Amino acid sequence: MPRHVLTAEFAHESNTFKKGFTVLDDFRSETYLQGEAAIAERGNANTELAGFLDAAREAGWRVSHVISAHAGPGARVARAAFDDIAGQICAAATASRHSLDGILLSLHGAMVTEFCEDGEGELLTRLRAIVGPDMPIAVTLDLHANCTPLMCDLADAIVSYKTYPHIDMRERGLQAGRILEARMSGRSRPRTLRAHRPMLDEINSGRSDEGPMLPLYAKARAAEREPGILAVSINAGFSDADIRDVGPTVTVTYDTLQPAAESRARAIAEDIADGIWAARFTSVNTYLGVEEAAAIASSFDASRGPLIIADYADNPGSGAYGDATNLLRAMLDAGLRNAAFGPMIDPEAAAFLHTHRVGDTVSLALGGKNDPAFGGGPLAVTGEIIHLSNGDMICDGPILGGLHHSYGTTAVLRVDGIDVLVVTANSQMLDQQQFKAFGIMPAEKSVVALKSMQHFRAAFEPIAGRVIVCDSGALSTPRYERRTYRNVPRPIFPLERNTELPTRP
């Protein structure tokens, strides 16, 4: 009889400094698919679910997929939303607990809810209460997880992405599935340990394309080839969550059936964590002010490709509002032409533009409506409507390729030579189709300003003449001192730059 495995995807990256809550409609507008509908949409794309299904085909499992639920990074998850999605997973586990052989979960690792700091730990706690301590459970996490001790205690195996931009989701899902299969067959008995350092996050947010993390990722991959070492995961942390268990961690899943595996796993985890700590002053990014970025753009030679300006601070992918105006204001003041800017997440403006027609010239207050103290207030502009859309697209880049995506009500407003993508739904710039689907051809522009920290590089670096990163002062600014932390343990780097490591037992 084939083994029976329960699978689910439930992910959210929670910015506790953002106003309000992430509600169920936010999941429904992004990804909220049950059972076969989720498999049809996500089962052959670059997703953890696809990796789980690859493992199932290898081993001949019977899979019961409960739900794939994902909302764009944002405020803490409302209790009602968490209880709805977690409740579906727990109800399926309850209904099948006598036939289940294992559970595979795709989580994020930085979910904070309305009622607790550790959403993933809360879900695992509820599941363990149903299936007991011996049910094999393997979990995948985003590279930007704040991985807690509770997660490590309750999940047998933890496998995190090793790429930023994230392009290895399916691969990690398969890896987690293979570890689960070995556990269910009795060939291994995994446990996971954790090493942590007192930092808000890794200084380069875990970049895997250059910088001090490269040799550490290489160490992690090499260690996974050692006997008894099943997974080595480097979690860069997520500094936009003001919680106790914040910051970079290294988790090692090892086989307790292998002699000396635990001591070797501890040595690996501490060695890599020491490497993260040693590199805490080594930043790969140079954060320009918006005026400096616009000045570079004004004299840029785009013959080899456009200048890509990434607004690090207003990245919707870390929970920023995506409506900061400081960079757009600087670009307009610099008189840039043949430029693109996006997204400007402003549902009110998008709805207003849809009361007009393509070709109309309109005036409106754009952006800056959520918190003008972070990134600038509303910008008075007049422009021509170039495109109106329902925001739907099929992506084709390395991260989202093959997946349906939607910005909701969407418009393109041309303001003094800058095509501004005005959207409704919360999403960072990950894929060229997020411009192309609305008539903006990034490769044909001289300047492309977009809101993303690092993920944009996968799709946009290949066409770029140059890439620069700016800090618009928005909610996810790298100037941590602008945010009021109340719950993180102190001292912590870089809030206290002279932080010392505690003495190890």
Side-chain angles (χ1 to χ4, degrees):
M1 180 179 295
R3 293 189 180 91
H4 183 198
V5 175
L6 189 78
T7 63
E9 297 180 300
F10 183 17
H12 188 259
E13 190 174 49
S14 306
N15 186 325
T16 64
F17 298 98
K18 191 171 187 177
K19 299 174 183 176
F21 294 102
T22 297
V23 299
L24 194 58
D25 280 347
D26 294 314
F27 286 92
R28 286 175 172 151
S29 66
E30 180 79 16
T31 303
Y32 185 86
L33 298 165
Q34 281 104 351
E36 290 301 318
I39 291 173
E41 171 75 16
R42 300 173 59 80
N44 195 32
N46 190 9
T47 65
E48 292 94 318
L49 175 57
F52 296 167
L53 296 174
D54 290 340
R57 282 186 286 269
E58 277 188 0
W61 302 338
R62 176 168 70 92
V63 170
S64 295
H65 184 68
V66 184
I67 190 169
S68 292
H70 175 269
R76 291 176 297 158
V77 176
R79 179 185 286 273
F82 183 88
D83 286 346
D84 177 282
I85 299 164
Q88 292 183 52
I89 299 169
C90 289
T94 299
S96 302
R97 66 183 182 275
H98 297 302
S99 68
L100 276 182
D101 296 291
I103 297 174
L104 267 175
L105 299 174
S106 166
L107 308 176
H108 185 284
M111 182 190 295
V112 182
T113 77
E114 182 179 359
F115 60 94
C116 74
E117 290 189 349
D118 181 4
E120 289 82 3
E122 173 67 16
L123 173 62
L124 288 166
T125 298
R126 295 184 186 188
L127 279 172
R128 282 295 182 201
I130 296 165
V131 301
D134 298 325
M135 176 68 66
I137 299 179
V139 167
T140 62
L141 297 179
D142 189 284
L143 182 150
H144 295 104
N146 289 321
C147 187
T148 69
L150 185 61
M151 294 181 209
C152 295
D153 287 344
L154 297 179
D156 299 273
I158 291 178
V159 179
S160 301
Y161 310 159
K162 287 185 173 66
T163 59
Y164 183 38
H166 304 329
I167 56 173
D168 62 335
M169 288 80 79
R170 186 170 188 165
E171 184 180 356
R172 299 284 77 80
L174 174 59
Q175 182 182 5
R178 287 171 170 168
I179 294 172
L180 183 72
E181 168 61 21
R183 167 67 178 85
M184 293 188 299
S185 68
R187 290 183 284 115
S188 72
R189 193 166 187 88
R191 287 189 61 84
T192 298
L193 55 76
R194 168 186 182 271
H196 173 259
R197 296 295 179 266
M199 303 166 67
L200 285 174
D201 59 11
E202 192 276 320
I203 195 66
N204 298 290
S205 297
R207 285 186 64 171
S208 62
D209 56 337
E210 62 175 308
M213 293 297 286
L214 281 176
L216 301 184
Y217 288 122
K219 277 188 177 183
R221 290 186 173 92
E224 288 179 340
R225 295 193 289 270
E226 296 184 23
I229 304 301
L230 306 177
V232 181
S233 297
I234 301 172
N235 304 293
F238 184 62
S239 61
D240 292 288
D242 180 18
I243 61 172
R244 182 186 66 245
D245 291 313
V246 72
T249 57
V250 181
T251 63
V252 181
T253 297
Y254 63 96
D255 184 2
T256 61
L257 300 180
Q258 291 277 349
E262 181 177 4
S263 61
R264 178 57 184 148
R266 174 56 63 188
I268 292 166
E270 297 296 344
D271 177 59
I272 295 176
D274 283 342
I276 295 172
W277 178 255
R280 66 192 181 279
F281 294 107
T282 307
S283 177
V284 173
N285 287 326
T286 299
Y287 302 107
L288 305 175
V290 293
E291 290 82 7
E292 186 178 1
I296 291 171
S298 66
S299 60
F300 183 73
D301 177 3
S303 59
R304 295 187 178 180
L307 174 70
I308 306 294
I309 306 174
D311 185 352
Y312 184 105
D314 199 32
N315 173 30
S318 60
Y321 295 108
D323 73 340
T325 55
N326 283 345
L327 177 57
L328 179 58
R329 187 190 309 272
M331 293 170 65
L332 291 168
D333 289 346
L336 300 185
R337 295 291 185 270
N338 191 33
F341 180 98
M344 178 64 79
I345 302 174
D346 188 339
E348 179 183 314
F352 171 76
L353 293 171
H354 271 251
T355 65
H356 295 77
R357 299 177 181 178
V358 171
D360 286 354
T361 297
V362 298
S363 298
L364 74 160
L366 185 61
K369 297 180 175 72
N370 284 288
D371 193 344
F374 285 94
L379 189 61
V381 298
T382 298
E384 179 187 357
I385 299 174
I386 302 300
H387 192 93
L388 296 171
S389 170
N390 64 3
D392 287 352
M393 73 200 86
I394 301 295
C395 297
D396 59 9
I399 295 177
L400 296 179
L403 293 176
H404 171 263
H405 191 70
S406 181
Y407 269 133
T409 301
T410 295
V412 178
L413 184 69
R414 181 167 293 164
V415 183
D416 295 339
I418 302 175
D419 290 348
V420 182
L421 181 67
V422 184
V423 307
T424 299
N426 172 35
S427 180
Q428 69 170 304
M429 193 59 67
L430 299 169
D431 194 291
Q432 287 193 46
Q433 286 298 328
Q434 290 171 277
F435 277 128
K436 288 181 175 181
F438 314 111
I440 299 173
M441 301 296 126
E444 298 174 9
K445 296 295 184 181
S446 298
V447 179
V448 178
L450 48 79
K451 301 190 178 192
S452 178
M453 288 182 178
Q454 172 73 358
H455 283 314
F456 73 93
R457 294 180 186 272
F460 288 88
E461 216 163 35
I463 67 167
R466 182 183 176 187
V467 173
I468 59 177
V469 178
C470 79
D471 174 9
S472 66
L475 192 64
S476 291
T477 173
R479 290 176 285 167
Y480 301 106
E481 69 278 3
R482 293 199 63 211
R483 299 195 285 269
T484 303
Y485 288 92
R486 295 186 173 89
N487 301 313
V488 302
R490 308 294 282 266
I492 193 167
F493 181 87
L495 297 180
E496 289 81 33
R497 295 185 68 82
N498 61 348
T499 300
E500 296 182 359
L501 289 181
T503 302
R504 291 182 196 167

